[in-house]
Amino acid sequence: MANFTYSSFFIHRKTAITMNVKIQTVHFDADEKLIEYVNKKIDKLNIFHERITKVDVFLKLDNVVHTIKDKIAEIRVHVPRHDFFVKASSKSFEESFDSAIDSMVNQMKRKKEKQAA
């Protein structure tokens, strides 16, 4: 298992916010290109919620041999008083991660709309 951690620092409404991102790979070592891809997509989550404190990403190889969908992406986003979680699997990590990040964005939008109502 490999761990990659970084902090993203941004300014929102004149307040400095640090978002800690932790990427863990299970049963494989990720190349730099995949880690950069994940980081680039994660940074865009700030558009949908301004108070993200921590993001955990798990990229896993499923040990099930007879299925095509053997690459799993899990994302957990921590915001004050709430956590979001999504999981997706497909034949590539990029595809799994894209599906998971789309689901995460939908969850965050629904939560924001529910709070506004």
Side-chain angles (χ1 to χ4, degrees), residues 23-26 28 34 37-38 42 56-62 69-76 85-104:
I23 302 169
Q24 294 183 359
T25 59
V26 181
F28 80 104
L34 178 60
Y37 182 82
V38 169
I42 289 294
D56 295 319
V57 177
F58 298 93
L59 302 173
K60 302 177 182 180
L61 275 176
D62 196 4
K69 296 186 175 192
D70 60 349
K71 294 181 177 73
I72 301 168
E74 296 178 357
I75 306 169
R76 183 177 310 277
F85 178 79
V86 294
K87 180 178 181 177
S89 62
S90 72
K91 61 186 177 201
S92 77
F93 283 113
E94 290 84 2
E95 192 177 329
S96 296
F97 187 77
D98 284 345
S99 178
I101 204 83
D102 289 344
S103 295
M104 180 61 68

Side-chain angles (χ1 to χ4, degrees), residues 16-70:
I17 298 173
T18 302
M19 177 175 70
N20 294 314
V21 178
K22 185 175 183 181
I23 302 169
Q24 294 183 359
T25 59
V26 181
H27 301 302
F28 80 104
D29 291 326
D31 63 347
E32 192 64 32
K33 188 177 174 183
L34 178 60
I35 299 304
E36 287 175 18
Y37 182 82
V38 169
N39 286 335
K40 188 172 125 183
K41 295 278 189 166
I42 289 294
D43 282 340
K44 294 180 181 177
L45 286 178
N46 291 322
I47 297 168
F48 303 101
H49 201 294
E50 60 276 353
R51 298 185 64 204
I52 297 172
T53 57
K54 183 178 172 189
V55 178
D56 295 319
V57 177
F58 298 93
L59 302 173
K60 302 177 182 180
L61 275 176
D62 196 4
N63 289 334
V64 179
V65 179
H66 300 294
T67 63
I68 295 172
K69 296 186 175 192
D70 60 349

